[in-house]
Amino acid sequence: MPLRPRIVIIILLCTLCCAVRAWTASPTNFQIQDSLLKLAAQQVRTQLAAVRSPALRLRCSDHPARWLVEQQLRSALGEASLVTSDSSSGFLDVGIADVAVRYASVPDRDSLLRTIHVELRCAAAGRQLSDISLQRSDLVARSDQSLLENPGYAFCSAPLPAVQRSTWDDILEPVVVLAALATTVIVLFSVRSQ
């Protein structure tokens, strides 16, 4: 087989391997929060349709993710349900109880349990709607944490739990290192003295 087809095959295999790695990458915290807020906005739309509320003005509580919540609600509800300046219409009050990422330790030291939680409390024209609470959890590699977070948004980041120390870390590893060091010193001096 000539060299040129071999090179083409190797390049194609490398490209395929890179593409598979990109397809299996975990979604970022922001992507998951965006999708959860999209689902929450659709639930708000369903609840507003059930109570047959007129056009409302949107009013959200103060939160770092407020702009994203407003964006998803405006997208899901559309111009017919939300108005901007009509003083006679009521308010769609959205209390942002939680839009956050949390990490928890798991038995595997190289992994983390990532939980992303979205919780909204809504009221339309003074009538309380059902609370919306959505959550997604998955296992991610501890080393991928910096790739999953978006440092520009506070609600996309969370502190990492400390790495759990084991018997190996606390007792066995220092004993093995000291034994190896002692053996090296003994062998070095015994060979030197002969």
Side-chain angles (χ1 to χ4, degrees):
M1 186 177 207
L3 183 62
R4 185 174 209 139
R6 288 182 186 170
I7 292 174
V8 171
I9 290 172
I10 291 172
I11 291 173
L12 286 175
L13 287 175
C14 290
T15 305
L16 180 64
C17 290
C18 292
V20 167
R21 171 69 178 139
W23 288 332
T24 59
S26 296
T28 65
N29 296 344
F30 182 82
Q31 290 171 330
I32 295 173
Q33 287 170 330
D34 188 49
S35 65
L36 289 176
L37 285 170
K38 188 178 291 186
L39 290 172
Q42 291 170 356
Q43 289 182 15
V44 169
R45 182 183 66 202
T46 303
Q47 290 182 23
L48 288 175
V51 296
R52 295 190 180 118
S53 67
L56 302 167
R57 287 186 289 165
L58 181 59
R59 187 168 55 186
C60 288
S61 65
D62 193 32
H63 190 277
R66 175 182 178 173
W67 67 271
L68 186 59
V69 173
E70 288 178 347
Q71 175 183 331
Q72 291 299 343
L73 285 170
R74 290 187 194 286
S75 175
L77 299 175
E79 299 299 323
S81 298
L82 295 175
V83 294
T84 55
S85 63
D86 183 15
S87 61
S88 65
S89 64
F91 286 99
L92 171 59
D93 290 310
V94 179
I96 305 171
D98 193 21
V99 175
V101 178
R102 292 177 184 84
Y103 296 109
S105 296
V106 293
D108 179 11
R109 297 174 50 170
D110 297 331
S111 298
L112 293 168
L113 177 65
R114 172 178 65 172
T115 302
I116 298 178
H117 188 247
V118 169
E119 186 173 350
L120 303 177
R121 296 187 178 107
C122 302
R127 288 199 315 214
Q128 187 69 31
L129 301 176
S130 298
D131 291 349
I132 297 169
S133 180
L134 301 171
Q135 179 173 308
R136 179 173 168 192
S137 297
D138 60 354
L139 281 176
V140 295
R142 185 178 283 272
S143 60
D144 288 347
Q145 182 256 349
S146 62
L147 301 172
L148 301 174
E149 294 187 342
N150 188 340
Y153 303 119
F155 58 91
C156 290
S157 301
L160 288 178
V163 176
Q164 295 176 346
R165 301 201 42 95
S166 66
T167 305
W168 170 258
D169 295 327
D170 294 337
I171 298 170
L172 296 178
E173 187 177 25
V175 168
V176 168
V177 169
L178 288 175
L181 183 62
T183 304
T184 304
V185 169
I186 291 170
V187 168
L188 178 69
F189 282 114
S190 67
V191 169
R192 185 174 178 198
S193 62
Q194 288 181 0

